[in-house]
Amino acid sequence: MSTTPAAPSLIASDVVHVSQPDDGYLLVVIDNPPLNLFDPTVFAGLHLLREYIEAKGDEIRVVVFESGNPDFFFAHMDFATINQVPDIPGAQNIIEHWPAFSIWLTAAPVVSIAKVRGRARGIGNEFVAACDMRFASLERALLGQIEVGFGVVPGGGGLEWLPRHVGRSRALEIALSADDFDARTAETYGLVNRALPDAELDGYVDALARRIASFNPAALSTAKRLIDKRLPPPSEAELRESFDAILRLTSTDTVKALQQRLRVKAGGSFAPAELDLPTLYGTR
């Protein structure tokens, strides 16, 4: 697994570290201990990354995302801080701006690749699903949408991307079971491009990224645009609709009571249960 780059990051973020291994190729390491929660500091760093890529134009042709935490790609959204906009470079309100960022991951001329180790749950799985390609560690990757287990629904991508990637029935299985899916199953379902042995994952993705980065940027962006024309990705309006749905459900007394019961069951904090979170609200 790659580690946080020793050289200074190309953007001013403490948790999103950006390096350039080769011409046209950015490596982004997300390292927000202890659980790699998707929170306002991460989102600020991702916004700075977008600004950096857009300023460089066709100088950047491929970007690879990975985690600095082998147990968590993204644990899930940090709902305790979702409304905060910290006083740091790049900060934006997640509720207002996540749908547009998610669409940018898909629609930007740059090719986005997620290299998944650890758990990618909730918005973590939605981030992965919005990338152009996804490669997962056979031994270490788990992907899932946990929201129904907490009385709500996937919002901001899960309900939109899952049917496109895996079909209706498997999308329902993933969303309604609120369970973890291992890399082999994710590959079989079409949720990831390939599941690779952990020892081979870095080398495969790096070689692919370097190969793509060597090609004509106009050819890459045109291919993405025409493929998206033939198989349209979700719209920003669709992502906002499901994001609004999760927020409405979260505010209901029924969901508040359920989440409080789960918090008590977890011992007052969800953190100790994060490695195997679906067992907290499941029957296994």
Side-chain angles (χ1 to χ4, degrees), residues 132-151:
D132 295 317
M133 303 178 203
R134 297 158 294 284
F135 299 92
S137 164
L138 268 173
E139 298 92 334
R140 302 201 66 95
L142 292 168
L143 301 98
Q145 299 290 158
I146 59 174
E147 292 87 349
V148 168
F150 286 89

Side-chain angles (χ1 to χ4, degrees), residues 69-94:
N69 185 330
D71 291 324
F72 296 97
F73 184 88
F74 278 125
H76 49 76
M77 178 80 77
D78 182 5
F79 272 91
T81 63
I82 191 172
N83 286 303
Q84 297 178 11
V85 182
D87 185 17
I88 57 175
Q92 292 185 319
N93 183 281
I94 295 176

Side-chain angles (χ1 to χ4, degrees), residues 164 221-233:
R164 286 169 167 85
S221 61
T222 301
K224 278 192 61 172
R225 178 176 58 81
L226 292 178
I227 287 173
D228 287 346
K229 184 177 181 180
R230 284 147 178 77
L231 186 63

Side-chain angles (χ1 to χ4, degrees), residues 34-208:
L35 301 175
N36 248 27
L37 289 173
F38 193 102
D39 67 10
T41 60
V42 169
F43 194 49
L46 291 173
H47 180 63
L48 292 177
L49 171 70
R50 175 179 178 175
E51 290 183 337
Y52 181 86
I53 290 173
E54 290 179 338
K56 291 293 183 179
D58 61 12
E59 291 181 34
I60 306 300
R61 294 178 285 284
V62 60
V63 55
V64 173
F65 295 96
E66 69 174 8
S67 170
N69 185 330
D71 291 324
F72 296 97
F73 184 88
F74 278 125
H76 49 76
M77 178 80 77
D78 182 5
F79 272 91
T81 63
I82 191 172
N83 286 303
Q84 297 178 11
V85 182
D87 185 17
I88 57 175
Q92 292 185 319
N93 183 281
I94 295 176
I95 295 173
E96 293 178 12
H97 295 283
W98 164 252
F101 181 85
S102 177
I103 293 300
W104 174 79
L105 269 180
T106 305
V110 65
V111 177
S112 55
I113 300 175
K115 182 171 62 174
V116 185
R117 285 187 175 91
R119 292 138 183 86
R121 296 181 179 136
I123 200 170
N125 189 55
E126 291 164 344
F127 181 98
V128 169
C131 289
D132 295 317
M133 303 178 203
R134 297 158 294 284
F135 299 92
S137 164
L138 268 173
E139 298 92 334
R140 302 201 66 95
L142 292 168
L143 301 98
Q145 299 290 158
I146 59 174
E147 292 87 349
V148 168
F150 286 89
V152 293
V153 296
L159 298 180
E160 291 74 33
W161 277 118
L162 287 176
R164 286 169 167 85
H165 289 326
V166 307
R168 179 178 181 274
S169 295
R170 284 172 169 168
L172 286 168
E173 178 189 357
I174 294 168
L176 301 186
S177 70
D179 209 348
D180 286 334
F181 288 76
D182 61 50
R184 180 61 75 202
T185 304
E187 179 188 53
T188 300
Y189 279 18
L191 189 55
V192 301
N193 291 63
R194 300 192 191 197
L196 295 161
D198 193 72
E200 300 175 15
L201 181 62
D202 290 329
Y204 182 88
V205 174
D206 184 70
L208 176 63

